[in-house]
Amino acid sequence: MVSEGMPLPPIRTVNDLRSALSRYGFPGDRERFEEELAAAIGAAPTNDFAGAAAVVRAYRHRVLIRNSSEIMTALEDARGGGEGGVR
């Protein structure tokens, strides 16, 4: 569940993202991030890390989603878990 009293720290570096995924991410996100990042780097030409950057952006977005009470409430409602959801 999202904690209203604990603001998300800034995510400026890959190491910041790793810490945020470990503490604020969805279960398993940190491990999947490491796997996807390693695969993207391993498949990248030495002068183009756009794939790795895309992985970083995607997981940063996941942390932001996970820590937005509005988005998480909307997801719960869409799945039928909220009071206004379809059952």
Side-chain angles (χ1 to χ4, degrees):
M1 191 102 274
V2 177
S3 174
E4 296 294 332
M6 192 164 38
L8 187 64
I11 303 172
R12 294 181 296 253
T13 67
V14 174
N15 283 337
D16 289 347
L17 178 56
R18 285 181 170 119
S19 295
L21 284 167
S22 295
R23 184 165 183 169
Y24 303 100
F26 291 99
D29 271 358
R30 170 69 190 270
E31 294 79 11
R32 283 189 297 274
F33 168 73
E34 296 296 346
E35 291 168 7
E36 290 183 31
L37 183 61
I41 290 171
T46 57
N47 64 346
D48 182 6
F49 290 98
V55 170
V56 170
R57 281 191 305 273
Y59 278 88
R60 182 178 184 279
H61 187 70
R62 286 180 66 81
V63 170
L64 297 176
I65 287 172
R66 175 70 172 96
N67 290 281
S68 167
S69 58
E70 295 85 15
I71 293 173
M72 291 306 294
T73 298
L75 287 172
E76 285 296 316
D77 289 347
R79 287 193 311 215
E83 294 177 23
V86 177
R87 298 194 184 249

